Amino acid sequence: MNLLLKNARLIDPSQNRDETGLDIEIRDGKIARIGKGLKSDFDARDLKGAVVAPGFCDMHVHLREPGQEHKETIQSGLNAAMSGGFTAICCMPNTEPPVSDPFVVSFIKEKARGHLVDLAICGTMTKARKGEELAPIASLAEAGVRMISDDGSAVSNAMVMRRVFEYAKMFDLLVTQHCEEHTLTASAPINEGKISTKLGLTGWPSVAEEIIIARDILLAEYVGGVRYHAAHVSTAGSVRLIREAKARGAKVSCEVTPHHFTLTDESIETYGTQAKMNPPLRTQEDINAIIAGLRDGTIDAISTDHAPHAAHDKETDIVSAAFGIIGLETAIPIGLTQLVATGHLTLSEYIVRCSTNPRGLLGLPAIRILEGEPASMTIFAPDDRWRFAESDIRSKSHNTPFVGSEFTGRVIGTLNNGQAFWSRN
Amino acid sequence: MRQDLLTTEHLPAETTQTLLDRSDYYLELLKRPGRWTTPSWAMAKPPPISLRSQEGEPILKGYTIANLFFEASTRTRTSFELAERRLGADVVTLTPAVSSLSKGESVLDTVRVLEAMRLDAIVVRHASAGIPQFLADHLPEHVHVINAGDGAHEHPTQALLDAAEMRTALGALRGKHVAIVGDILHSRVARSNVWLLKSLGARVTFVAPETLMPRDAAEVFGIKTTTNLDEVLPTADAIMMLRIQLERQARGFFPSLEEYRAQYGMTPERMSRSKALILHPGPINHGIELDSETAYGERSLVLRQVKRGVAVRMAVLELLFSITS
């Protein structure tokens, strides 16, 4: 890949750098020169009005392969990530079979080889995600998993969870919990509150999330030295618990999805199954708390929880419909619209939560936009107003409520592994 | 444009009044002794709302209505069937046990099957809230959808027949106090009734143990809620007892049937402290929420509710089809 990027705004939080009008010459996939008014024989691309940032990383993605390739494959998911502006993603282990042994890790790695997008892998923390016995965590770590989780369900048994913490600590693996106390959420398709009451639906209480986060924080602190990460937090109470734990110095981190800082449970009111999520969409008060958590650093990362489902999984009633939506192609526009254009976060703060922090949590090498470094970049136009259409989706599944939404901010290109992908000409 | 009856939440009060009036009319017709015959509309007073049929012909002659019951319900299903037949419709009743419309088939598949049958209306009962709305969203414009109960969401015709009987017994419902007692959390009857009664100007109170009271119910429905049945006895004009599902005890919603009865049963002793009329959507757990003597006593509307069911459903069908024309 040889390229000359012209007139870009370069934002690299690791160097505290934010400069406009820069040219970046990329030779053989590496940053050769950064300067103003550079001349080069390479293909030039004018990036006036666009930002060049360290490649974004989505640490929570479901690729469905192996087992549910009709919803997504590793290739189609990586293509969606590339189109959405990510240079790295981490795939979750609730596949069929689950990522409970090194063979599945090797299979996934093989399928992802040579792609523009780097694929990190999350292994399970218990065998087959049953929450009963430890998964072969040492073997999984050796095979290269970056974190462990039984995502899709929580480890209910506190003793098992204690052992997961103790064992994972030996390998410094990030222990990621899907925070759901299952006895409180049985048969619940939506948040417990005014909307569930009105519609006569079983409600999913916010405390079902908070109770697991509180337990895990206490256990992790008791065990000591282990890194704990709460996946897709959705409630004000969760943000408070994590803020308090961080203030005590606990090794606790968390992520939030774009839909949880954008939509409330009112989206369900017409029984829109595209708004059925796990955890469910909450209230405006929860969104306010999440945004405050993003601002003050309580929430470390923005992840999509990209959850592809076939059309028939969603074209049904709210109780039977599958949980989750795709997110790779909408995450950056939603973030720029909801967090940056509104002034909640600066571009630099936003980039930290989409690139620096998730990579750090996964133990991936830091990206620096410096001469001599590999070109791993997300390029976006923060002020571009546009409407998201179904034709913009590269994922195999199309389950999203955001088709037709107007965004401020658009991905232009993704550069990584000596390859470039341009979403827009 | 097609009309459906999916909820009572947005049913205009005038429409409700029309339906109640028409159900009064049908109730009178149904009371006539002897074999039911198609009424001669030319002779009926008042005449039908819709004049689409030729004089002397039943107004739904030539139309096909499917009753789609995914949940067992002898009472509601039979009531709809009678109403449909008495208006002259061709009726087909599909239940999961005898048709391919079973759980294994997706709701969208069901829609396609129904579409292929060229129906004019569908009466649907399903354990999932929102199924009637889903059908209405996906079926062709000309197919009316009537909600015969969806999960714990709504049961509009039950609310209409309750209101009709209360109106007959109490007069206009404006200012009247109706207490709905029991398992509000899982009750579609409670949700449909609260909207309808409020639109008619009645005051509604939900009475339930905290475990069976939906979260934020007072705010959502704009009513009073209480855990104390004795509190409402002196002021209630009507008390609607809800059926308690016996398996709720096993699921921990209350400690025992005895304790439930002691706290929320309409016992003879409580009856003596109240002047209220008693309603129950049935079937009754005798000796738990109601005693037999209360259920069939002089202040009970229970059997009248059943009779009213057919009349109300005839009124609903008449109105929906007439609006189409």
Side-chain angles (χ1 to χ4, degrees), chain A residues 186-187 192-202 206 269-271 312 314-320, chain B residues 9 107-108 112 126 128-131 133-134 137 150-153 191 195 214-217 219-221:
Chain A
S187 310
E192 183 171 77
K194 297 185 181 78
I195 304 298
S196 66
T197 288
K198 186 174 163 188
L199 300 182
L201 294 168
T202 304
S206 50
E269 200 160 6
T270 49
Y271 295 108
H312 66 263
K314 284 289 192 180
E315 285 173 344
T316 184
D317 63 287
I318 192 78
V319 178
S320 321
Chain B
E9 188 185 350
V107 183
L108 205 60
R112 290 181 181 127
H126 200 286
S128 292
I131 287 283
Q133 180 70 57
F134 181 86
D137 289 343
D150 61 329
H153 180 216
R191 283 175 181 78
W195 297 125
R215 199 170 171 84
D216 303 322
E219 195 181 336
V220 170
F221 299 111

Side-chain angles (χ1 to χ4, degrees), chain B residues 270-284:
Chain B
R270 284 202 171 97
M271 283 297 285
S272 71
R273 287 190 279 129
S274 166
K275 291 179 181 157
L277 298 166
I278 299 296
L279 295 96
H280 192 294
I284 297 165

Side-chain angles (χ1 to χ4, degrees), chain A residues 394-413:
Chain A
R394 282 185 156 242
S395 170
K396 217 167 175 180
S397 295
H398 288 201
N399 51 307
T400 170
F402 291 109
V403 168
S405 295
E406 191 172 286
F407 296 127
T408 304
R410 186 172 198 175
V411 173
I412 292 177

Side-chain angles (χ1 to χ4, degrees), chain A residues 214-232:
Chain A
R215 179 202 71 174
D216 285 354
I217 288 171
L218 292 173
L219 271 175
E221 286 184 291
Y222 183 77
V223 168
V226 65
R227 294 190 294 134
Y228 172 70
H229 181 79
H232 41 52

Side-chain angles (χ1 to χ4, degrees), chain A residues 42-318:
Chain A
F42 298 159
D43 283 346
R45 186 169 282 265
D46 189 1
L47 296 181
K48 194 169 169 53
V51 170
V52 172
F56 281 18
C57 172
D58 183 348
M59 63 186 291
H60 194 136
V61 171
H62 297 273
L63 294 183
R64 304 301 188 207
E65 188 179 7
Q68 291 187 303
E69 289 83 354
H70 65 289
K71 297 183 176 187
E72 193 80 286
T73 62
I74 290 164
Q75 278 298 311
S76 68
L78 290 172
N79 288 343
M82 174 179 77
S83 165
F86 293 95
T87 62
I89 60 174
C90 182
C91 61
M92 301 309 283
N94 50 337
T95 46
E96 295 169 11
V99 189
S100 277
D101 69 62
F103 300 108
V104 183
V105 178
S106 305
F107 169 84
I108 294 171
K109 277 186 170 176
E110 188 55 39
K111 289 271 179 179
R113 193 182 299 277
H115 203 278
L116 181 152
V117 178
D118 298 321
L119 182 60
I121 300 169
C122 177
T124 66
M125 45 195 183
T126 68
K127 280 180 190 163
R129 297 175 51 245
K130 287 186 176 167
E132 294 163 0
E133 298 173 78
L134 292 183
I137 292 170
S139 310
L140 289 169
E142 212 163 87
V145 303
R146 293 285 174 173
M147 62 178 184
I148 52 171
S149 172
D150 279 0
D151 193 47
S153 50
V155 173
S156 301
N157 185 312
M159 179 55 96
V160 173
M161 200 59 222
R162 172 186 172 162
R163 289 183 179 132
V164 167
F165 281 137
E166 287 170 338
Y167 202 76
K169 182 168 107 173
M170 299 192 291
F171 312 99
D172 193 32
L173 280 172
L174 188 68
V175 177
T176 300
Q177 184 77 281
H178 170 106
C179 305
E180 176 183 353
E181 208 296 316
H182 294 282
T183 64
L184 288 170
T185 63
S187 310
I190 70 168
N191 180 49
E192 183 171 77
K194 297 185 181 78
I195 304 298
S196 66
T197 288
K198 186 174 163 188
L199 300 182
L201 294 168
T202 304
W204 179 312
S206 50
V207 73
E209 177 173 307
E210 295 150 10
I211 215 165
I212 294 293
I213 291 180
R215 179 202 71 174
D216 285 354
I217 288 171
L218 292 173
L219 271 175
E221 286 184 291
Y222 183 77
V223 168
V226 65
R227 294 190 294 134
Y228 172 70
H229 181 79
H232 41 52
V233 297
S234 68
T235 78
S238 299
V239 177
R240 177 176 57 79
L241 286 164
I242 291 162
R243 183 180 288 122
E244 289 166 0
K246 283 189 168 185
R248 290 196 300 274
K251 285 185 167 184
V252 172
S253 59
C254 70
E255 68 192 27
V256 67
T257 73
H259 47 270
H260 284 116
F261 60 68
T262 306
L263 302 174
T264 69
D265 58 355
E266 290 178 14
S267 312
I268 298 280
E269 200 160 6
T270 49
Y271 295 108
T273 55
Q274 299 294 6
K276 181 179 176 182
M277 323 281 189
N278 179 345
L281 298 172
R282 305 290 187 182
T283 66
Q284 190 58 48
E285 290 73 41
D286 294 302
I287 289 182
N288 296 345
I290 284 167
I291 289 173
L294 280 163
R295 284 171 69 103
D296 72 10
T298 300
I299 299 174
D300 302 85
I302 297 169
S303 307
T304 62
D305 192 12
H306 178 78
H309 287 294
H312 66 263
D313 294 320
K314 284 289 192 180
E315 285 173 344
T316 184
D317 63 287
I318 192 78

